Amino acid sequence: MIDWHAAATVLAGLTAEGAGLARRVSAAVAAAPRFQNKAFDLAPAPLMVRADRVEAHARDLEAYVALLESAVEAYRADPDVRAYIALDPAEEAASLAPHHLPSTVRVCRIDGYPALPDGRVVVLENNADSPAGTMFTGRINAVIDDLVEAPLAAAGLGICKLPLDKGAPLLERFLEDYRLWGGTNPDPVLAVLQEDGKANVESVEMAAAYTALGTRTLVVDPRAVVFRDGAAWAGDTRIDLCWNKINTVYWRRLTADHPDLLPRWVAAIEARAILHLNPFPARYVAESKRTLALVREPRFAHHFTEDERALAERLLPWASKLEPGKQVLFEGAARDLRDLLMERPQDWVLKEPYDIRGDGVTIGRDTDHATWIAKIEQGFAEGNIAQRYVPPLTYPILTDPATGTCVPMKVSLDTFVFGGRFIGFGAKASNNERVNVFQGGRKLAVRVAEPRQAAGLASDAA
């Protein structure tokens, strides 16, 4: 999946600039609109992906989102699946209520690793509630494109722009979904839901950018929204649709502290007072880490087609929900799941069903023995999942533009799918086991290089 030739071309060209590169990077960052929720040093050399692999990868990840839709349908149809996902009564009611859209996972980021030994992309999890980077990724790409244009052009290459790089794809998705939902306001008002005083930078920038593009957008606390006369109101402003940007971890805490909040929203959504994106089944079912195990559980295989089961086998690491006394088939042998985790901690990752910033993830090879045992016990008590550890490739990250220093780091390769269609890539890099910006990592641009004529750029041959 990695385009090592283009990667070497970019690194060689950038480092050849010497100290002038650092000045160019600083100037580019200063001139760019904001693109960080948390500060990190921008790496000027992007993760380069092979152009000839993009189409097959896109189709696979679109099929993966369709697999999540099948999991949501299984949740609706089967009480045993609902018991496996184990939502509380209000969350279950929200997940079963109609949302009036043709599908559930409207906006998704699927996080994966280009894995050892061959660089094949393995999916670790999906963000189906309110993924970060839906706007900032395009902004990072634009900054990096200006920096790498010259070294790529010198090699006869140009950047192939993906849908994420063009226009305002998230806003376009929202407005299309509003029409699909049956919305009739020619100038709908969008609310980005955030708790008062806790809005992240991307949400604030989103409101400003989308308003400038002609769609009035407000950042609103969901507790402040009032439903009356068949509509949703923020003060005196009628809200037609919302992007619930509160991560599910924080959303669950908020609804636990305010028990009337979720039923009030569900009733309004059922009454078509407002379009809520993503719908609650995406937030509670598709987002749950238990779904990563559900799609591979033998007892639920009948809910999925043969092709879907093959896709899960190919894209996802082996995983299982931690259930007392559970026997599993692992590497061709029947094993007690607890014994397996105890014997081989270096091979396992434990995940809580909802997580933010890697805080709900325990990596066996990065955890002391006593903590690992305690996390296993916690996992069996809470119904967390065990997922096989995936060793990521390392990739050269240009960490110091002034000196040309490159450091090999673990990298993710993340995929954005809007409305069931691939629109682009994101990535993160870190020297830590958790490859996360909030765990000491950094975001990377991901670019696809093609011969300049194929990329739609002017040829150097003239």
Side-chain angles (χ1 to χ4, degrees), residues 22 78 118 130 164 171 174 196 237 244 252 277 325 340 379 419 455:
D78 189 341
D118 57 4
S130 53
L164 189 63
L171 177 60
F174 291 162
D196 281 341
T237 302
N244 188 343
R252 297 184 89 203
L277 296 166
L340 197 59

Side-chain angles (χ1 to χ4, degrees), residues 255-278:
T255 56
D257 289 342
H258 301 273
D260 68 320
L261 182 64
L262 182 56
R264 191 163 61 86
W265 271 86
V266 171
I269 292 164
E270 285 195 80
R272 305 180 73 95
I274 190 169
L275 169 62
H276 180 279
L277 296 166
N278 275 325

Side-chain angles (χ1 to χ4, degrees), residues 309-321:
R309 294 194 299 272
L311 182 78
E313 184 80 19
R314 181 158 50 86
L315 290 183
L316 291 168
W318 191 98
S320 183
K321 183 179 177 182

Side-chain angles (χ1 to χ4, degrees), residues 133-146:
T134 48
M135 185 174 75
F136 278 180
T137 301
R139 289 185 173 184
I140 293 171
N141 291 345
V143 173
I144 296 302
D145 285 356
D146 288 342

Side-chain angles (χ1 to χ4, degrees), residues 23-33 35 42 143-144 146-147:
R23 292 191 290 273
R24 279 215 302 139
V25 171
S26 295
V29 171
F35 58 81
L42 183 68
V143 173
I144 296 302
D146 288 342
L147 295 173

